[in-house]
Amino acid sequence: APRLTSLRGKTIALVDIGFPNSNVFLDRVETLLKDRYGVAEVVRHAKPSPTRVAKPEVRKDILLRCQGVIEAVSS
């Protein structure tokens, strides 16, 4: 998919892949996306583990609702 020219007004998915402290990292990313880049909405999803793919309903929700996705890791 082509890179977005702007994040302002967009809905962005944040996917927690299950590493320790990923949720803490994604909390900060969400704040920055909204405050600094004007993201309108953040949709949060989680994978069952780092080695498993996201469930089909999660992928569908992201495709239907979001203009961008960030899959994040942290340790």
Side-chain angles (χ1 to χ4, degrees):
R3 185 177 281 200
L4 296 172
T5 57
S6 172
L7 296 176
R8 184 160 305 284
K10 302 289 194 273
T11 299
I12 304 297
L14 297 180
V15 179
D16 182 339
I17 70 165
F19 282 136
N21 299 316
S22 292
N23 61 327
V24 175
F25 175 71
L26 287 174
D27 289 345
R28 181 69 177 132
V29 170
E30 180 174 351
T31 298
L32 288 170
L33 287 171
K34 289 178 176 177
D35 293 349
R36 194 177 290 179
Y37 298 100
V39 167
E41 183 180 0
V42 171
V43 175
R44 302 280 290 259
H45 285 291
K47 290 175 30 174
S49 76
T51 59
R52 310 243 350 245
V53 298
K55 293 179 180 181
E57 58 268 18
V58 168
R59 294 193 310 267
K60 183 177 181 179
D61 183 59
I62 291 170
L63 286 170
L64 291 174
R65 295 174 54 200
C66 303
Q67 290 81 49
V69 61
I70 298 170
E71 186 176 79
V73 298
S74 180
S75 60

